[in-house]
Amino acid sequence: MTRELDVHVGGGFDALQARVGDALRRQREGEPVHEDHLTFVDWDAFARTMTAKRLELLRYLHRNPQESVAALARNLQRDYRRVHEDVELLTAAGLIARDGLALSTGYDEIRTVIAL
């Protein structure tokens, strides 16, 4: 089963409320609802989080789950401190899953919707 994450950039509280309301309606109608959403308040917040290096890290981690941050830094040939910072931020955002020291991504695809 492919796990997908919908990332929303902007859109405000009304858009969030509409997504939740739609999911609740579908569930009441008997449809199984299994959705994961991550919302950034605006483009600046998204851009501070999803840098090119962090996207590269996520792609690598998706293909190659790692036993630790140190192993990930070695395999990416990047400074440990920077990789640790990236992992902490991406974990807090829900983009990296941790099991003890082990790291993996919980999603096969990230779809991004940017409100204008």
Side-chain angles (χ1 to χ4, degrees), residues 57-104:
L57 184 153
L58 284 173
R59 285 180 170 149
Y60 182 84
L61 197 54
H62 176 70
R63 292 186 307 273
N64 308 286
Q66 297 291 297
E67 62 196 32
S68 66
V69 174
L72 179 60
R74 270 193 313 275
N75 289 322
L76 290 174
Q77 298 179 330
R78 289 185 51 204
D79 177 67
Y80 172 84
R81 186 174 62 90
R82 299 275 189 221
V83 172
H84 183 268
E85 289 171 358
D86 290 349
V87 166
E88 290 299 314
L89 191 141
L90 293 169
T91 300
L95 296 168
I96 290 180
R98 286 186 151 177
D99 183 11
L101 294 177
L103 307 169
S104 63

Side-chain angles (χ1 to χ4, degrees), residues 4-8 35-39 109-112:
E4 300 168 346
L5 174 67
D6 291 320
V7 174
H8 305 273
E35 301 174 351
D36 293 315
H37 295 267
L38 175 61
T39 302
E109 182 176 277
I110 299 173
R111 294 183 302 221
T112 306

Side-chain angles (χ1 to χ4, degrees), residues 5-79:
L5 174 67
D6 291 320
V7 174
H8 305 273
V9 180
F13 183 74
D14 291 341
L16 172 64
Q17 189 176 20
R19 283 193 304 274
V20 171
D22 181 58
L24 289 172
R25 177 192 54 77
R26 288 183 286 131
Q27 185 181 35
R28 280 192 302 265
E29 292 173 355
E31 180 182 333
V33 178
H34 303 285
E35 301 174 351
D36 293 315
H37 295 267
L38 175 61
T39 302
F40 291 90
V41 67
D42 58 24
W43 175 260
D44 291 336
F46 175 73
R48 280 191 308 271
T49 301
M50 191 55 70
T51 64
K53 285 288 191 186
R54 290 179 184 145
L55 182 56
E56 175 188 350
L57 184 153
L58 284 173
R59 285 180 170 149
Y60 182 84
L61 197 54
H62 176 70
R63 292 186 307 273
N64 308 286
Q66 297 291 297
E67 62 196 32
S68 66
V69 174
L72 179 60
R74 270 193 313 275
N75 289 322
L76 290 174
Q77 298 179 330
R78 289 185 51 204
D79 177 67

